Amino acid sequence: MTKQESTTLKPGDEMADGTIFGGHNADGTMCIYLMPLNLSVAMTFNEAAQTVDQLNQLKSFGHSDWEIPNRDVLLILSKNQEMGALREIFSKVSGKDTNWQWSSEQLDGFPFTIRHGVNFFDLSELWTRATNNNRLYLQPVRLEASHPHPKLK
């Protein structure tokens, strides 16, 4: 069996389209794919949302379904961040703001929008007003139904 025919993906595997396999969602029904780089720019949540829209308009890596990851996906990625090509994507420097990643989670029931972030160094989490100028990093992801024959690089 060639690598192209392999049916077992491992977090950090490089895919034929240039993306990186990040793992499966909690119930194993979806594959998580990432760009092979962190965008390396701290931004507000609204800027992050605009960036994802631009990536989709440009069909980055041939896809128009990029999104801001939810909390569960970020926690899976943080667990897998030392595997394969994922090592090169996430920064883990104690006490540095570069460890914080936006998630798409929103806390309802307030007269203003509350957004969520995860710190990849210590797995701490924060909730912050979306109108604040808090700047976190963004790692856009794609979720795709798991399939038996992925195209590896």
Side-chain angles (χ1 to χ4, degrees):
M1 182 184 307
T2 67
K3 192 173 184 183
Q4 186 77 9
E5 296 166 341
S6 172
T7 59
T8 305
L9 283 176
K10 296 181 298 304
D13 281 348
E14 298 179 43
M15 306 307 295
D17 63 3
T19 61
I20 308 296
F21 176 66
H24 288 96
N25 67 340
D27 66 9
T29 60
M30 302 293 281
C31 291
I32 304 165
Y33 297 100
L34 299 83
M35 294 182 176
L37 53 111
N38 191 309
L39 297 183
S40 299
V41 176
M43 57 186 81
T44 66
F45 184 84
N46 289 340
E47 291 167 339
Q50 290 170 354
T51 298
V52 168
D53 286 343
Q54 291 171 350
L55 293 171
N56 286 329
Q57 289 173 11
L58 295 171
K59 292 194 175 233
S60 294
F61 293 90
H63 301 282
S64 60
D65 56 351
W66 294 101
E67 60 186 70
I68 298 171
N70 66 32
R71 176 185 180 271
D72 292 339
V73 166
L74 274 183
L75 292 175
I76 289 165
L77 294 175
S78 66
K79 181 183 111 190
N80 295 339
Q81 66 183 309
E82 295 295 328
M83 301 177 81
L86 292 174
R87 266 185 232 109
E88 305 301 319
I89 296 175
F90 296 104
S91 174
K92 277 182 63 172
V93 182
S94 179
K96 299 290 183 184
D97 292 337
T98 58
N99 298 314
W100 287 98
Q101 300 281 330
W102 281 116
S103 89
S104 61
E105 302 295 319
Q106 179 174 314
L107 195 58
D108 294 323
F110 292 89
F112 43 81
T113 304
I114 304 286
R115 290 291 179 179
H116 180 260
V118 173
N119 185 308
F120 270 51
F121 180 75
D122 62 11
L123 300 184
S124 58
E125 301 179 53
L126 70 77
W127 292 94
T128 183
R129 283 180 73 161
T131 55
N132 286 356
N133 286 326
N134 290 327
R135 295 181 173 278
L136 306 182
Y137 287 80
L138 168 66
Q139 181 56 58
V141 299
R142 297 181 50 251
L143 298 177
E144 188 175 285
S146 295
H147 46 80
H149 301 290
K151 293 183 180 176
L152 294 166
K153 184 173 179 181

